[in-house]
Amino acid sequence: AAPTDPPISIRPTQTKRKQQPKKRRRRRPKIKHSCINYIAPSFVTFMALFGYTIGLLGFLPKTLSNPLARLFHFCLGTFVVSSMLYSLWMSVNTSPGIVSETWDASLRSEEKDRLMSIELNERGGRRYCAHCGMDKPPRAHHSGALNKCVKRMDHYCIWVNNVIGYENHKYFILFLVYTVIGISHFLCAAMYTLFVESLTNFESANPLYLILVFVFSVFTLPMVILVTIFLAWNIYLLFTNQTSIEYHNNSGIMESLSSWRRSKRGKQLAIKTTYEHAYDTNWYENICSIMGSSPLIWFIPFGSFGTAHLKLSDGINYPTKNHERIEAINSLIISARAFPHDDDMFDVLTDSDDEYAQYTSYTAV
């Protein structure tokens, strides 16, 4: 009889750590402190001051005859614009939090092993940055704009010409908050002015003034809608203690696990462990980790209040869920990646009782 091929054997991917590649030569960072790179923040500053001047000189005298009401709106507008511009330029000039090459020098081996086990790479090993030539601490990612690893990196923002990370994230969120409040205040004043001037004093109203107010209103309305949507997105990430990068990664993992559970092998194994974000403890602690320990300072960007959250963490250690729970979730992810998603391959694998028993014990978390 002709010899037959041996049965196909598929084993879970081993998590052996490969030899670390040689440290690459650093490229020059793309972000440089020059006048050209301040164009976008300067444009935002100009638009904010221009809208503030129009509201102060054009809307307040036309709409409010009560001196106290004028004083209130003047103080409100001044505080909002000042807070917005301060948060903007602090986001521009504050470092996002660069990971030092010796970030793990003071850690014991047990402490580092615990930190590195919170997040794993696709092969189930430690996260390693080939550009910086070092292990990446939890939540850190390499920034192409800075050519360095950034603590709790979120994204690169063109409007502030900087990377948003652990140390300047509060300034960025407050910049969005006060931008929405300022634009909404301006839009309400413009619409009220247009309403009062066109209905109560239509005959004496200046047509050119009404046209300008209408143009400002049409220009401001879509702007406030877009910024509000972006702010709502960042508030959701803040409540769940995720960065934009982590949300993208978590969505991919959950989609992969959902597909795996619907397959033949997923139904047969009936794994009950569900995926959860390791840093999502509760909504209050999630907000405090970025905005500060007290709600009284969440919306204050000035002075030490803007950096109050830095006292809660060093950008390396973060509050997490129970460590046993994290290990169970990571084991589930590794198992799903190690086993093929093809149902035909699963049928071949289950023909061998030894292979199937090994796999079921490997995924029992």
Side-chain angles (χ1 to χ4, degrees), residues 195-244:
F195 178 79
V196 171
E197 288 292 316
S198 60
L199 294 183
T200 59
N201 301 317
F202 181 77
E203 296 181 356
S204 59
N206 188 346
L208 181 60
Y209 176 77
L210 296 179
I211 293 175
L212 290 177
V213 172
F214 178 77
V215 171
F216 281 129
S217 302
V218 172
F219 174 76
T220 306
L221 183 59
M223 183 186 301
V224 71
I225 293 175
L226 293 176
V227 180
T228 302
I229 294 174
F230 188 62
L231 173 62
W233 161 249
N234 279 269
I235 291 178
Y236 166 76
L237 295 178
L238 180 65
F239 268 74
T240 57
N241 203 356
Q242 299 182 86
T243 64
S244 301

Side-chain angles (χ1 to χ4, degrees), residues 287-344:
I287 298 177
C288 290
S289 65
I290 293 299
M291 307 302 291
S293 58
S294 173
L296 299 177
I297 64 174
W298 285 354
F299 298 97
I300 303 178
F302 305 104
S304 60
F305 298 112
T307 58
H309 66 288
L310 301 181
K311 300 178 182 179
L312 304 178
S313 172
D314 57 358
I316 303 297
N317 295 275
Y318 299 93
T320 60
K321 296 182 181 295
N322 182 276
H323 194 67
E324 288 74 14
R325 178 66 177 171
I326 296 176
E327 290 181 347
I329 294 174
N330 287 336
S331 298
L332 176 67
I333 298 172
I334 295 173
S335 302
R337 287 170 174 170
F339 204 77
H341 282 232
D342 187 3
D343 287 337
D344 294 335

